[in-house]
């Protein structure tokens, strides 16, 4: 049965930019009530103003901070009564070889890309289980399916998020709560400028970039169709399928893909 998004309450992390921002617009367009969360409240308020009406609300949320998570979830429940869909979207990358990866970058990626989605899920899940209805949507990445060199740690956090989605889906079988993993490929957002560049320049890694709007439409479609896993972009799909047949071939392809798309600083 399709998931009807009309009047569903959707909490989106990292909604101030890129894919999260586009998801806020597309889920609102699909009839949902949207709680847009991120650290940049000014950008969220601009977004709420742009969307307009009373089915959009903005809340400050640093997903790595326990008290902010609690406050944002309480805000969403006060404002709209419940949370039907959680989209774990906030994320960040450090472009660095493993050898050069600073401790604080490792800690930040683990906290933001992995621990925060787990903790957000733990916070919203009990009430979804009570209602026997809801969705947890995790925005992972193609590089969670096949790691890319010099984004090895970032890839590892996304592989862990993908694995978290798979395990959680099995735990929640027949509970009425869906778990959906969306793996975008290279997408045209500020992600590459916001990323840290340690020993490699974070240049765009694909010619065939999706727009964030296209990714957001795919997320809405996955939600409606309750699709457990979706991989996006032609390159992303190709490398994911390739890996099923030959790890060596997938390594070779991703190595050259990275070589073309990233520049060493030395
Ligand atoms: N762009 C791509 O090519 C691509 C490909 C595959 C997967 N992804 C994934 O897609 C997701 C969205 O990325 P994007 O491309 O849209 O990048 P983006 O434009 O840089 O957006 C990242 C979002 O995360 C938020 N954020 C960062 N740290 C946060 C924190 N501590 N607490 C709450 N929010 C935080 C940022 O908002 P504030 O700074 O306001 O907090 C921002 O809204 C990420 O998980 C990323 O890993 C991106």
């Amino acid at each position: 049965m399709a998931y009807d998004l009309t009047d569903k309450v959707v909490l989106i992390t990292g909604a101030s930019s890129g894919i999260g921002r586009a998801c806020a617009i597309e889920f609102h367009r699909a009839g949902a009530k949207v709680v847009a969360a991120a650290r940049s409240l000014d950008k969220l308020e601009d977004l709420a103003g742009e969307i307009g009406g009373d089915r959009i609300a903005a809340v400050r949320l640093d997903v790595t901070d326990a008290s902010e998570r609690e406050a944002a979830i309480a805000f969403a429940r006060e404002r709209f009564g419940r949370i039907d869909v959680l989209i774990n979207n906030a994320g960040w990358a450090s472009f660095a070889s493993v050898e050069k990866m600073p401790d604080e970058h490792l800690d930040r990626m683990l906290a933001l890309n992995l621990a925060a989605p787990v903790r957000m899920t733990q916070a919203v899940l009990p009430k979804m289980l009570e209602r026997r209805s809801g969705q947890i949507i995790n925005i992972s990445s193609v590089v969670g399916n096949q790691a890319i060199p010099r984004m090895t740690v970032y890839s590892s956090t996304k592989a862990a998020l993908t694995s978290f989605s798979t395990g959680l889906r099995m735990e929640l079988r027949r509970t009425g709560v869906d778990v959906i993993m969306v793996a975008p490929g290279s997408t045209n957002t500020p992600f590459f400028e916001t990323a840290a560049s340690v020993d490699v320049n974070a240049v765009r890694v694909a010619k065939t970039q999706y727009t964030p709007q296209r990714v957001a439409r795919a997320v809405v479609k996955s939600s409606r169709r309750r699709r457990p896993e979706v991989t996006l972009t032609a390159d992303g799909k190709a490398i994911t399928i390739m890996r099923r047949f030959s790890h060596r071939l997938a390594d070779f392809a991703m190595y050259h893909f990275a070589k073309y798309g990233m520049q060493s600083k030395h």
Side-chain angles (χ1 to χ4, degrees):
M1 222 170 57
Y3 192 73
D4 181 3
L5 284 167
T6 313
D7 286 333
K8 290 289 191 309
V9 181
V10 182
L11 171 60
I12 306 170
T13 72
S16 62
S17 172
I19 294 169
R21 189 181 197 281
C23 279
I25 294 169
E26 291 300 327
F27 274 86
H28 183 270
R29 193 170 284 159
K33 296 172 178 166
V34 173
V35 181
R39 293 168 306 172
S40 314
L41 192 55
D42 51 338
K43 290 187 190 167
L44 297 172
E45 281 167 351
D46 287 350
L47 170 69
E50 198 182 295
I51 291 175
D54 57 3
R55 283 193 292 111
I56 174 83
V59 64
R60 189 199 137 84
L61 169 60
D62 178 342
V63 284
T64 64
D65 183 300
S67 56
E68 291 203 16
R69 285 196 299 270
E70 208 178 299
I73 288 166
F75 169 87
R77 286 179 176 147
E78 263 166 43
R79 182 67 189 262
F80 292 127
R82 63 192 186 280
I83 296 166
D84 294 299
V85 179
L86 166 66
I87 305 185
N88 285 311
N89 165 76
W92 178 80
S94 172
F95 283 69
S97 58
V98 173
E99 197 192 344
K100 303 282 185 206
M101 174 66 63
D103 269 0
E104 63 271 25
H105 290 189
L106 169 62
D107 292 345
R108 185 171 166 194
M109 282 188 281
L110 287 169
L112 178 59
N113 302 350
L114 177 61
V118 175
R119 291 185 170 129
M120 287 296 293
T121 301
Q122 288 174 317
V124 301
L125 193 53
K127 290 211 185 293
M128 289 185 181
L129 290 172
E130 266 173 33
R131 291 195 306 275
R132 297 193 63 79
S133 171
Q135 291 190 332
I136 308 290
I137 303 180
N138 294 322
I139 308 299
S140 186
S141 171
V142 163
V143 301
N145 302 351
Q146 162 70 38
I148 187 164
R150 298 192 289 185
M151 286 184 88
T152 302
V153 173
Y154 171 76
S155 304
S156 306
T157 62
K158 290 300 189 179
L161 183 61
T162 296
S163 187
F164 170 66
S165 311
T166 308
L168 183 66
R169 185 179 312 121
M170 288 187 277
E171 286 187 22
L172 299 183
R173 209 162 162 240
R174 299 205 179 105
T175 63
V177 181
D178 304 324
V179 182
I180 294 167
M181 188 287 290
V182 179
S186 187
T187 308
N188 193 3
T189 71
F191 178 83
F192 297 90
E193 285 78 49
T194 311
S197 300
V198 178
D199 58 352
V200 62
N201 280 323
V203 296
R204 289 185 157 76
V205 290
K207 272 188 196 161
T208 53
Q209 283 199 324
Y210 268 26
T211 62
Q213 292 74 23
R214 192 163 172 195
V215 175
R217 284 196 293 272
V219 179
V220 167
K221 197 166 155 188
S222 314
S223 164
R224 280 193 172 130
R225 297 190 178 177
R226 313 175 103 129
R227 288 182 66 185
E229 291 203 357
V230 182
T231 294
L232 302 175
T233 74
D235 295 335
K237 282 179 192 157
I239 204 131
T240 304
I241 293 167
M242 200 184 286
R243 189 177 158 78
R244 284 189 206 139
F245 297 102
S246 166
H247 287 234
R248 273 201 190 140
L249 192 60
D251 284 3
F252 177 83
M254 199 54 127
Y255 173 83
H256 285 281
F257 191 62
K259 206 170 158 187
Y260 155 79
M262 298 180 191
Q263 282 163 354
S264 283
K265 284 193 160 179
H266 316 292

